[in-house]
Amino acid sequence: PEAVDAYLKVLARLLALLVDELAAAPEGSTQHSRAPPAPALAVVAPEAEFSGLIRTEPLEAGASAAADAVGSEGRNTVFSKRFASEVADFARRYAGLVDEYGAPLEGAFVVGNRGGEVLASRARLLRASSSSGAPRGGASGSSSGSGEGRLNAADLAALLPRGMAFARSSAGHVTAFLAAEVR
């Protein structure tokens, strides 16, 4: 029961950020200005399962260090103002590749399912090397059509046994992709 409550709190905070906070105009803008397009990709998963199946590459210098940085309030989590600022800033200036629904293929934010700790920030997500080399699910044909193997939200959910991926399109639509055990 405690683990489920913790998971639900992480999901609620992440959804509030993706749905509400990214839809609002940035601080300091005029009252009547519209929020800029803010596509975002976020994954919630157990750390051990995520790191065993998916490889992360930081898109920006210092991004991987930012995820592991320990400040006065401890490790960065989905509940921290710093995380919300990082997601909003990155999403509002995102100009990278998107899938057929307008959701980003790069710059994912990955958080742990129990405490919401940030596991990766502004990262490109790729399939980890496996001994079989055979693709699982539909992940081999990532919608990017790229030979680099970028994973979209549906690919991520297909790879992970537990967890979920959220894709916010540039139009503001948020879609949740559930891993097999969550469905």
Side-chain angles (χ1 to χ4, degrees), residues 94-111:
Y94 184 75
L97 298 171
V98 295
D99 65 15
E100 67 268 22
Y101 302 107
L105 291 170
E106 301 176 322
F109 291 83
V110 182
V111 298

Side-chain angles (χ1 to χ4, degrees), residues 50-98:
F50 178 84
S51 62
L53 296 169
I54 298 164
R55 182 172 50 94
T56 63
E57 292 179 354
L59 289 183
E60 300 173 338
S64 61
D68 296 328
V70 177
S72 58
E73 66 273 350
R75 194 163 182 185
N76 194 13
T77 71
V78 72
F79 303 104
S80 70
K81 286 185 179 187
R82 186 174 95 202
F83 177 75
S85 294
E86 287 175 5
V87 171
D89 177 58
F90 185 81
R92 288 184 176 131
R93 60 184 175 82
Y94 184 75
L97 298 171
V98 295

Side-chain angles (χ1 to χ4, degrees), residues 6-14 44 78-79 111-116:
Y7 200 164
L8 290 175
K9 287 178 184 175
V10 169
L11 295 176
R13 175 62 190 124
L14 191 56
V44 180
V78 72
F79 303 104
V111 298
N113 65 319
R114 295 220 177 175

